[in-house]
Amino acid sequence: MKLRFILLALTGLAGAADKAPKISGIWMMGQSLCDGSESLPIVTNEDTGWGNLAFQRGVRTWLPKDNSATPELRPAELFKLVPLRAQTNGGLGETVANGMADHWQSARFGNDKAGITQSASRFLVACAGQGGRQIQELSIADLSTDPRTPESRRHGGGYYRTSLDDARRAMAQAKSMGANFRIAALYWMQGEGNGGPTGSLVPTRWDAELPRPAGLTWYRDQLIAYRKQWSADLCAITGQGGELPMFTYQTLGPAGEAQLMAADADQNIWLVGPHYAVPSAINSSTSPDRHGDPIHLSADGERWWGEQVGKVMHRVLDRSEDWQPLRPRSAKIATDRASILVDFTVPHPPLVLDTTFLARQEIATKDGFTSLSGFRVRDTSGALLTLTAVEIAAPARVRLRFVRPLPAGQTCSVSYGHPFAQALGTIASLRSGPDHTAELLLKSSFTAQLKPLLAEGAFFVTSLSGQTTRVAIRGTSEENGVTVLRYDPRELRNNVPFAAGQEIVTQRSFSYGNLRDSDPAPSTHTFADPAYGTRAGQSYPLWNWCVLFSDLSTN
């Protein structure tokens, strides 16, 4: 258990006798998912009515070629406080800001906007990061200015310096309004930029990749040091005492595990959870004939994930909840050696294996599955073991059943997270489609299996035989009892075409699994982009999905 003494003064919400308006900052730092890369078109076009604020400059306070290295020279008039909403800056769109601040505000007021008019408390959100950045480039060290950094990745630097100057600007604005300003929380959204080519981490753009255990430890320590430095420097500006809490998401790749390690080691870091359930930017329309990169998020994905973060900020800082994401605690081999029992820390039991909202994750073999609902099991040699089922055994326990019992004395390890979903058999034929598209004709109907994938939007098909290729499927139909998949040939990976007779499998943009909790928290916003999927108008579900993990040993 994390034991935490949360100072109310830290959030800017203390002092009932103090009638001065209160502006509470949420300071963001990170790379592409933080700055809203390709999260277009935006879905928060107008003032949402929750009373939250941004600088007139926008949520993204760092901009290239705009005093990027000299933030103190930015014009003062761009720091007037305006209602918080999304803005477009070239290829940058929606961020987590509105989902995060609006959900936190609505949770405090019981989802009642009428209470906002009676309150003098507001959130101000500012983000000073940029896509593609490594942790030390965003830090006080600012390695983006190092001459060894490629010219294409310099852009003037100044991210950390900008974040501190933003705090000075907020203090000045609050003073002019007769308000009190304090920073309530830090939000960190970085990690992919330090990923190495073989599954570990690289400290800089010119260093060799570290061995995985050392790489995880290195990133853990870097993130803890970053929070402490950032907290101390911001508190020196605002006059706050104590430590500022930092919240983070679990990124894909090795940094995601290191982030969880940092949250375990630093009582002021909180891991919200993984973001794999939200829609990818392959659904974004970044131009009339172009979509986003699968690693980025759609605008609804940004706002939805922001609500998850705001939910956890509220529970930790307002309700003093000792938050833990949905995560494994231990795994043991059953006495009959025919299954493994995995126990979990569950924010809101019971556990659910959800194959309705997310397509069932699976890799099928002749007599079972080498991956099922996200779970894979390896023996001591590293070979994958075959599963027959994944079951909920108790409100906080999952059973992984084997096709045959484990030999006596054999141990194994469990991992969770894989991008493959439904196998579609072999391609029967190919043909041209309307408007310069192409179509894959399958050998039977997969309407029921594809329903969860179609509900969230576009999905990939990947070849399992012949020459490897992949493409985003943007339309399906049924013809003479078989499924037809439509795609744009310009989106073929490396321009490699499919061929009749190839085995193919569906694939989501992110590694994922089907295990979630039963958190009933209502969302503040709803799906707003009707251009993809079938969820427009529905509430964002705020269940907590299991963190991605690897090498959980059995006992």
Side-chain angles (χ1 to χ4, degrees):
M1 290 284 289
K2 282 186 176 181
L3 297 178
R4 194 72 47 96
F5 293 95
I6 301 295
L7 297 176
L8 290 178
L10 203 59
T11 69
L13 307 178
D18 183 2
K19 301 301 182 182
K22 300 175 182 66
I23 301 173
S24 301
I26 305 175
W27 254 225
M28 297 165 55
M29 184 64 78
Q31 53 182 112
S32 57
L33 270 62
C34 194
D35 73 6
S37 292
E38 299 187 314
S39 300
L40 296 163
I42 60 175
V43 291
T44 314
N45 297 281
E46 305 295 339
D47 179 4
T48 62
W50 285 107
N52 296 311
L53 304 168
F55 294 122
Q56 185 172 304
R57 184 180 181 85
V59 169
R60 287 178 289 269
T61 56
W62 184 96
L63 296 172
K65 300 180 182 179
D66 184 3
N67 290 299
S68 55
T70 54
E72 64 277 0
L73 299 181
R74 296 174 294 175
E77 60 267 20
L78 296 181
F79 289 89
K80 294 178 181 177
L81 302 186
V82 299
L84 175 63
R85 63 180 181 83
Q87 293 177 302
T88 299
N89 298 94
L92 307 180
E94 191 88 19
T95 71
V96 298
N98 270 100
M100 182 169 55
D102 291 351
H103 185 93
W104 193 352
Q105 190 82 313
S106 67
R108 290 168 50 206
F109 287 93
N111 210 27
D112 178 17
K113 283 187 181 178
I116 298 298
T117 60
Q118 307 300 318
S119 171
S121 179
R122 301 286 185 267
F123 290 112
L124 169 66
V125 188
C127 172
Q130 187 198 26
R133 288 297 169 186
Q134 297 184 332
I135 186 169
Q136 288 184 329
E137 292 174 344
L138 297 173
S139 75
I140 192 171
D142 194 6
L143 293 188
S144 62
T145 63
D146 192 290
R148 291 172 291 181
T149 298
E151 181 64 33
S152 63
R153 303 308 304 160
R154 292 185 194 175
H155 304 314
Y159 312 104
Y160 188 86
R161 187 172 174 179
T162 296
S163 181
L164 300 189
D165 191 64
D166 290 343
R168 297 184 189 96
R169 306 288 186 142
M171 290 290 288
Q173 288 294 318
K175 183 177 180 180
S176 70
M177 299 165 57
N180 295 323
F181 175 75
R182 294 292 184 270
I183 292 179
L186 308 175
Y187 180 54
W188 179 257
M189 211 168 188
Q190 188 275 343
E192 301 93 337
N194 287 96
T198 66
S200 186
L201 291 133
V202 291
T204 70
R205 298 186 187 275
W206 49 86
D207 285 328
E209 184 176 12
L210 296 168
R212 186 176 173 89
L216 296 178
T217 300
W218 176 85
Y219 190 91
R220 177 201 67 188
D221 294 344
Q222 286 290 314
L223 186 57
I224 292 171
Y226 194 114
R227 186 207 63 78
K228 290 180 178 179
Q229 179 79 56
W230 199 16
S231 172
D233 290 345
L234 289 171
C235 285
I237 294 169
T238 64
Q240 293 171 248
E243 299 276 349
L244 294 179
M246 175 192 279
F247 296 80
T248 184
Y249 74 136
Q250 186 190 41
T251 187
L252 299 173
E257 293 191 42
Q259 288 164 334
L260 187 56
M261 291 166 59
D264 288 340
D266 184 338
Q267 65 174 3
N268 289 295
I269 296 179
W270 304 84
L271 186 90
V272 173
H275 70 278
Y276 56 68
V278 311
S280 160
I282 62 171
N283 298 293
S284 295
S285 296
T286 57
S287 67
D289 61 349
R290 187 179 180 278
H291 299 278
D293 190 282
I295 198 172
H296 297 148
L297 306 182
S298 71
D300 268 313
E302 288 276 346
R303 191 167 69 176
W304 175 10
W305 179 249
E307 289 221 37
Q308 287 279 34
V309 178
K311 176 190 77 176
V312 175
M313 288 177 170
H314 167 65
R315 289 180 178 175
V316 170
L317 299 179
D318 292 340
R319 291 167 42 177
S320 300
E321 185 173 317
D322 194 22
W323 174 262
Q324 285 281 335
L326 174 50
R327 59 185 297 187
R329 291 192 293 113
S330 63
K332 66 179 181 180
I333 300 170
T335 54
D336 63 1
R337 304 191 66 79
S339 64
I340 292 176
L341 294 168
V342 186
D343 289 319
F344 289 84
T345 296
V346 187
H348 280 263
L351 288 170
V352 175
L353 284 169
D354 191 332
T355 57
T356 300
F357 191 81
L358 293 182
R360 186 167 87 153
Q361 190 286 313
E362 63 178 45
I363 301 177
T365 62
K366 181 176 64 175
D367 54 357
F369 303 88
T370 56
S371 182
L372 186 58
S373 295
F375 291 94
R376 286 181 289 175
V377 182
R378 296 182 185 273
D379 64 19
T380 51
S381 72
L384 286 166
L385 302 180
T386 304
L387 302 172
T388 59
V390 175
E391 305 162 350
I392 302 298
R397 174 177 286 184
V398 168
R399 184 186 298 274
L400 312 179
R401 292 193 180 274
F402 298 123
V403 68
R404 59 186 61 86
L406 289 173
Q410 170 137 300
T411 60
C412 49
S413 63
V414 182
S415 66
Y416 176 85
H418 198 281
F420 282 5
Q422 178 69 44
L424 300 178
T426 58
I427 300 171
S429 62
L430 297 88
R431 70 186 183 192
S432 297
D435 301 321
H436 307 291
T437 62
E439 295 178 334
L440 303 177
L441 280 72
L442 305 182
K443 291 187 174 182
S444 59
S445 175
F446 288 87
T447 298
Q449 295 94 323
L450 294 177
K451 185 176 179 181
L453 291 168
L454 292 169
E456 65 175 308
F459 60 91
F460 289 112
V461 292
T462 298
S463 59
L464 298 178
S465 61
Q467 195 169 9
T468 301
T469 190
R470 187 183 78 175
V471 77
I473 300 300
R474 301 194 179 279
T476 68
S477 60
E478 294 291 309
E479 186 177 301
N480 300 322
V482 303
T483 296
V484 180
L485 308 176
R486 183 172 298 165
Y487 64 94
D488 185 337
R490 293 173 297 181
E491 293 189 285
L492 284 164
R493 174 180 278 181
N494 299 325
N495 294 315
V496 176
F498 287 94
Q502 281 184 314
E503 293 181 78
I504 58 173
V505 64
T506 59
Q507 179 180 337
R508 294 185 71 246
S509 295
F510 310 125
S511 291
Y512 76 105
N514 296 104
L515 187 66
R516 65 166 174 85
D517 75 350
S518 301
D519 197 324
S523 69
T524 303
H525 297 289
T526 60
F527 289 95
D529 189 345
Y532 64 90
T534 62
R535 294 172 178 164
Q538 297 178 19
S539 296
Y540 299 140
L542 299 185
W543 304 309
N544 303 293
W545 296 85
C546 183
V547 300
L548 304 172
F549 62 88
S550 61
D551 302 325
L552 176 68
S553 298
T554 56
N555 55 36

